[in-house]
Amino acid sequence: MKMLFICALLIGLVMLPLGVMAEEGTLVEDETAGVNISEEIAIVETNTPNLAPMFGKVHQTLLMATEEAFGYLLTGDIAEKEAFFKELALSEEAMTAFEGAASGAMEDEQVIVTGFDEVKTSYANLTAAADTMFVSFETEGKPVMDDVIAFEASVDIVFDTTDKVWDEYNVDGPATVDASVRSLYGRLLAAVQESYAYPVLGDMIEKEDALADFADFDTVIAQYEQKYPDASYDDIKAMKAEIQAAAEAMFASFEENGTADPADVAALETLVEEMNEKALKLFDTSSEETVVIEESSEIEETAVNTTA
C-alpha cells in the first residue's frame, strides 16, 4: 500500500506542472484572441480654389470699369456710364467669391490675400471719386479736370497694388499658359485705360504711359513665347495690334482737332468690347483647383482583462 501511495504521489507531482502549463497556454491563447486591432487609413482629397485667377478677375473687371468711365467722359454716351456700374457689379461679385475662398489660401497665396485687402480698401475711394467726377461732368457739360485727376489718382493706387501683387506672386513669371494669357489681357487693358485718359486729360504723360504699356506688352509676350514655345499667342497679338492702331488714330485726331473724333473713339470701343468678352471667359476658375491630399489614420485596440 505504501508503494502504491508513493507512486500515486509521484504521478500527481509530475502532472501538476503540466496542468498549470496547459492552463497558461489557454489563457495566452484567449488573451491573444481577445485583442482586437483595427487600423483605418483614410485619404481625403479636398479641392482648394486657385486664388490667382480669382484675384485676376477682380483686377480685370476693375480695369474694364475704369475704361468705361473714361469712355463716358469722351462720348457723353449714358450707355458707357451704365457699363461702368455693370463692370463694378462684376468686380464686387468677384470680390465676394475671392473672400469666400481666401480662408483656404495656400502659403504662397498669402501675398494675394494681402494685396486683395489693400485693393478692397482702395476700391471705396475709386467708386467715390467716380461718382464725384460723373456729377460734375453732367453738371458742367464737360469733364472737370480736378475731379478727373482725383479719379485717375484713385485708379493708380488700385492698379499699383495689383501690379505689386503680381510681381511678388509671379517671381518666375506665370506658372501656366492660361495664366500668361490672362496676364497679357490685363496688360493690354491697362494700355487701353491710359489711352482713353489721354484725350480726356490732355496730359501727354497719359499718351506716353499708354505707348509704354503697349511696348511692355510686346516685351512680355516675347518672354512668354520663349517660356512656352508650344503655345500660340497669335490671336492676342493680332488683337493688340488692332487696338494700338485704333488708339493711335484717336490720339492723332485729338492732337489735330483738340477733341477725339467720335468715329475713332467708337472704333476703339468696339475692339475693346470684343477683347473684354474674350478676357472674361478666361477667368472661369471652376476647373482650376488645387488638390490637397490629407492622410489620417486611426488605430483602435481592445484588450481582454486577463484578471477578470
Side-chain angles (χ1 to χ4, degrees):
M1 290 294 292
K2 286 184 178 180
M3 184 62 68
L4 290 175
F5 176 76
I6 292 171
C7 289
L9 181 61
L10 290 174
I11 292 171
L13 290 173
V14 171
M15 294 300 294
L16 180 61
L18 293 176
V20 172
M21 290 176 63
E23 179 67 20
E24 288 180 351
T26 301
L27 288 174
V28 170
E29 182 179 353
D30 289 344
E31 182 178 346
T32 304
V35 176
N36 178 24
I37 299 177
S38 65
E39 181 174 344
E40 179 183 357
I41 299 177
I43 298 178
V44 181
E45 291 188 3
T46 57
N47 291 327
T48 302
N50 186 340
L51 293 184
M54 298 181 77
F55 180 72
K57 187 171 185 178
V58 173
H59 182 192
Q60 187 78 10
T61 50
L62 286 175
L63 280 169
M64 290 164 59
T66 302
E67 171 262 314
E68 300 289 3
F70 282 116
Y72 177 46
L73 300 185
L74 270 177
T75 65
D77 186 351
I78 196 67
E80 297 288 343
K81 180 181 178 182
E82 293 171 351
F84 169 79
F85 288 110
K86 178 182 177 181
E87 306 301 354
L88 284 189
L90 289 177
S91 294
E92 291 175 1
E93 288 178 7
M95 290 179 188
T96 300
F98 184 95
E99 288 174 324
S103 61
M106 307 294 283
E107 183 177 353
D108 65 337
E109 293 176 321
Q110 291 302 322
V111 64
I112 300 179
V113 175
T114 300
F116 171 80
D117 291 339
E118 294 177 10
V119 167
K120 191 169 182 184
T121 299
S122 302
Y123 171 76
N125 295 330
L126 185 152
T127 55
D131 287 338
T132 299
M133 180 178 70
F134 292 158
V135 169
S136 63
F137 172 66
E138 291 161 0
T139 301
E140 300 294 329
K142 62 181 181 180
V144 175
M145 286 301 105
D146 287 346
D147 293 337
V148 177
I149 291 171
F151 175 69
E152 173 74 2
S154 71
V155 168
D156 287 343
I157 291 172
V158 170
F159 297 131
D160 285 348
T161 300
T162 57
D163 289 346
K164 179 182 176 183
V165 169
W166 293 129
D167 288 343
E168 293 181 5
Y169 180 70
N170 292 321
V171 176
D172 298 320
T176 66
V177 173
D178 287 346
S180 72
V181 174
R182 283 193 292 264
S183 74
L184 288 170
Y185 273 104
R187 290 176 183 277
L188 188 50
L189 195 50
V192 168
Q193 182 255 311
E194 298 288 359
S195 297
Y196 276 115
Y198 172 47
V200 173
L201 289 167
D203 187 344
M204 184 60 70
I205 291 177
E206 300 295 338
K207 177 183 177 180
E208 293 171 354
D209 286 345
L211 294 176
D213 285 342
F214 283 125
D216 181 61
F217 177 96
D218 293 336
T219 299
V220 171
I221 203 169
Q223 295 171 353
Y224 292 170
E225 286 175 324
Q226 288 187 338
K227 184 173 183 178
Y228 300 108
D230 295 332
S232 174
Y233 296 94
D234 291 345
D235 288 347
I236 195 169
K237 287 167 72 174
M239 184 182 300
K240 178 264 182 184
E242 289 184 319
I243 288 175
Q244 183 172 356
E248 290 178 346
M250 182 180 69
F251 297 162
S253 65
F254 169 69
E255 291 165 358
E256 181 179 351
N257 304 316
T259 58
D261 188 322
D264 293 333
V265 176
L268 177 58
E269 179 68 12
T270 298
L271 292 171
V272 171
E273 291 301 324
E274 292 175 359
M275 176 187 69
N276 288 344
E277 288 182 12
K278 292 180 180 180
L280 281 178
K281 292 178 182 178
L282 295 173
F283 290 93
D284 176 8
T285 60
S286 59
S287 62
E288 294 194 39
E289 297 177 325
T290 302
V291 177
V292 180
I293 298 179
E294 301 175 351
E295 292 189 7
S296 62
S297 62
E298 179 182 351
I299 298 178
E300 179 183 350
E301 181 174 326
T302 304
V304 174
N305 186 350
T306 57
T307 62

